[in-house]
Amino acid sequence: MATRTPGDALAHPIAGSAAKRIPGRGHTRSAVLFLAPFGLLFTAMLLAPIGYAVYQSFFRTHRSGLGLGPSTTVFTGFDNYVTALHDSRFMSSFLRVFTLGIVQVPVMLGLALLLALLLDSRGAVFKKVFRQIYFLPYALPGVIAAIMWSFLYAPSVSPFTAALRHVGLEVNFLSDDLVLASIGNMMTWAWTGFNMLIIYSALQAIPGELTEAAVMDGCSGWRVAWHVKIPAVRPALILTTVFSIIGTAQLFNEPAVLSQVAPTVSPTYTPILATQQSADINNYNYAATQSVILALLTFVLSFGFLKFTQRKGTFA
């Protein structure tokens, strides 16, 4: 039978100290206690509503007696999903938002990247002032900003319409042809500063040695930005693109406010507006179905973009 001497502990100090650092049940219980509040809130505020919406989407409420009789809820399986996918107004809202995102998201992120590069340049002055100016539109509440733009777009009081009228152009920013572009302009104005700050923060984290080495190799300002700075902030560009995809899919404030002054903005103009209309007429099961479809599509687009960038190496 082997015995240990005091010298064995001295001969293996690393093993002895590692043994002392092995977490026991007390450490596990402490971690659970710290994580429990987040887990409860995450389950109650996110997982439970999602599960309840999915559950409700498989049922349909029937009312007898011209809607005045008692209601009965019956299981219908995927019938609500089939109905939603054949709903022309609901599917048109997806196409409308998709068209908007294809154009607006690259324009917005391009402007955000340009502003961030200008602020990060050596010749930039009053950086703090301009950073706050660019961020100010995002700090304004979304509904307030949408109301402000509704006045700026209204043909009777719009300064833009009046200025264009003086040069012989009659432009109605709330017409059927331009209202989607007007909404895109509102989104770009509100969110460019927010995305600019994310990209600018990533630029601040670039080691100065990289830019100095590029300058010593003969790179000019824009060549340094293209070959050094932009590749270094690609993770930030991925993050802002994912945020923009999710935000565009959830477009609500701008069309909801413009619907009060623009007849071309229907109650089903975007997927969330269509879902809200279904809930307003007490068709909660169908509204749950629409919300589940919207959530799935948003997940597919955002996750698909991440996988595409990882596979192609475009942003990673």
Side-chain angles (χ1 to χ4, degrees), residues 15-285:
S17 60
K20 294 180 181 179
R21 291 196 300 267
I22 296 176
R25 294 183 178 180
H27 294 79
T28 303
R29 292 174 181 174
S30 299
V32 171
L33 288 176
F34 279 109
L35 292 175
F38 168 78
L40 291 175
L41 289 175
F42 183 78
T43 302
M45 300 300 176
L46 184 65
L47 296 182
I50 292 176
Y52 185 70
V54 174
Y55 172 78
Q56 288 293 327
S57 67
F58 293 112
F59 292 86
R60 182 174 296 172
T61 301
H62 294 278
R63 292 177 175 84
S64 59
L66 299 178
L68 301 177
S71 61
T72 57
T73 301
V74 296
F75 179 80
T76 58
F78 289 96
D79 287 353
N80 287 330
Y81 290 91
V82 174
T83 302
L85 294 177
H86 287 84
D87 189 341
S88 59
R89 293 181 300 177
F90 184 55
M91 300 311 297
S92 296
S93 68
F94 277 106
L95 179 61
R96 192 176 295 114
V97 169
F98 180 79
T99 304
L100 173 65
I102 287 294
V103 178
Q104 185 268 335
V105 170
V107 171
M108 176 181 62
L109 295 183
L111 289 174
L113 177 61
L114 177 62
L115 293 176
L117 290 172
L118 290 175
L119 284 178
D120 191 62
S121 62
R122 293 185 176 183
V125 295
F126 305 113
K127 292 185 178 182
K128 292 183 179 180
V129 175
F130 283 104
R131 189 166 64 241
Q132 293 178 0
I133 292 175
Y134 298 149
F135 183 75
L136 185 60
Y138 173 76
L140 193 67
V143 175
I144 301 300
I147 294 175
M148 179 192 72
W149 278 104
S150 67
F151 282 102
L152 293 175
Y153 286 147
S156 58
V157 296
S158 173
F160 306 129
T161 302
L164 292 173
R165 190 178 293 118
H166 282 301
V167 296
L169 296 176
E170 191 66 33
V171 179
N172 183 4
F173 293 99
L174 299 179
S175 63
D176 189 33
D177 296 331
L178 294 179
V179 68
L180 191 61
S182 299
I183 293 175
N185 176 67
M186 296 165 64
M187 297 170 60
T188 303
W189 178 84
W191 289 93
T192 298
F194 172 80
N195 293 306
M196 180 272 297
L197 280 184
I198 295 178
I199 299 173
Y200 180 71
S201 299
L203 287 172
Q204 295 297 293
I206 299 176
E209 294 81 0
L210 291 179
T211 56
E212 292 177 1
V215 172
M216 293 179 62
D217 288 340
C219 288
S220 61
W222 288 108
R223 291 182 63 189
V224 171
W226 181 259
H227 293 288
V228 177
K229 293 184 177 181
I230 294 179
V233 300
R234 283 173 180 173
L237 292 175
I238 292 177
L239 179 66
T240 53
T241 302
V242 171
F243 284 168
S244 300
I245 291 173
I246 297 173
T248 302
Q250 297 176 349
L251 180 62
F252 179 81
N253 287 336
E254 290 82 359
V257 173
L258 287 184
S259 64
Q260 307 300 316
V261 295
T264 55
V265 180
S266 65
T268 59
Y269 197 77
T270 65
I272 286 189
L273 283 177
T275 303
Q276 183 66 45
Q277 187 193 43
S278 299
D280 290 340
I281 61 175
N282 298 326
N283 195 353
Y284 298 112
N285 300 110

